[in-house]
Structures are given as C-alpha cells and as structure tokens.
Amino acid sequence: MANVSHGRSDMTSHPDVSEMRERYARMLGGRDVALVDGPVFLLGLYCAASPWILHYTASQPALVAHNLIMGIAIGLLALGFTRAPERMYGLSWAMCALGIWMIIAPWVVGTSPDKGVIINNVIIGALALCLGLVCAASAAKRTPMT
C-alpha cells in the first residue's frame, strides 16, 4: 500500500504557497467585517418571518407585507455584501436607512399597533442600524480619501 501521508503538517514547502496566499488575500479582500454578513442575513430572514412568528398577520395586514418586503431587502443586501463586498459596502448607509424606517414603520404603516409589534420592529430596526453602521464604518476606513 502506498504511503500518502505527508511528512510535515505545514504548507511552507508547497510549490504554490505564494499563489495560494495571494488568492486567499484576494478572496478576503481586506474585509474586516466579514462576520457581519451572516447576522445581517439572519436579521433579514427574521424580519420577513416575524409577522408569522409573532402572530400579527390578522391584526396588522399592512405590516405583514411591509416586514416581508423589508426582510427580503435586508437579506438581499446581506447577500450582496457577501458576493461583491467592494461594490456593496457603499450601500451600508442604505442598511442604516432601512433600520430607521423599521423603527418608525409601526406608526406609519400600521394601524394602532400593539406593544409586541412595536418592540419587534424597534429591535429589528436598531439591529439593522447598528449593523449598517459597522459596515459603513469599515467601508469608510478602507476607502482612501482624495
């Protein structure tokens, strides 16, 4: 039987080590907020599903459609942050705007919302605002000033 195990556990002697390091650095693209993409996507998923989770589909039909659309928008932003970060982190401020809108939406879109609906949207909005600020701060830090 052939010995297929490697004698050493490090990659320093691999002939393509410099190319692999370059590719890894290029894939990361200097993204120091890569861990924010997942929570943003989960926030969008929860926002879209929250009317059914909190059971206000009958009492607030306008907010049901609103939260579904906003959740899809937040989820698409998260996917964009993941797939094309160099182009999408400029839209981090849109994430902040979505967060602010989610905070005020129960009174603008809804009709006499109850406490649970208000708390739900305020928490979603505050989290979206905070995550958007983290992404925006990172994008501002990485872009050179001219």
Side-chain angles (χ1 to χ4, degrees):
M1 183 165 232
N3 183 8
V4 293
S5 65
H6 298 285
R8 294 196 301 171
S9 63
D10 62 10
M11 294 285 294
T12 56
S13 64
H14 194 280
D16 296 328
V17 72
S18 62
E19 180 184 339
M20 289 188 295
R21 283 185 181 147
E22 255 180 55
R23 185 182 303 161
Y24 182 72
R26 198 173 50 238
M27 295 271 295
L28 273 182
R31 292 175 11 135
D32 51 350
V33 292
L35 294 176
V36 176
D37 301 346
V40 170
F41 182 74
L42 290 175
L43 181 68
L45 185 65
Y46 174 75
C47 181
S50 66
W52 292 275
I53 293 171
L54 296 179
H55 304 291
Y56 61 87
T57 55
S59 64
Q60 298 290 331
L63 274 175
V64 171
H66 171 268
N67 280 19
L68 180 64
I69 292 168
M70 293 296 287
I72 291 170
I74 291 170
L76 287 175
L77 275 175
L79 290 176
F81 292 159
T82 303
R83 294 288 298 160
E86 62 280 348
R87 288 181 282 184
M88 291 295 292
Y89 275 128
L91 289 176
S92 300
W93 294 108
M95 182 81 174
C96 297
L98 290 176
I100 293 169
W101 175 251
M102 284 298 295
I103 292 172
I104 63 172
W107 296 281
V108 176
V109 178
T111 53
S112 64
D114 63 348
K115 191 175 182 179
V117 173
I118 293 171
I119 290 172
N120 179 58
N121 273 31
V122 167
I123 289 173
I124 291 172
L127 287 172
L129 180 62
C130 290
L131 291 171
L133 287 173
V134 168
C135 291
S138 173
K141 183 173 60 173
R142 280 196 343 229
T143 36
M145 298 296 257
T146 56

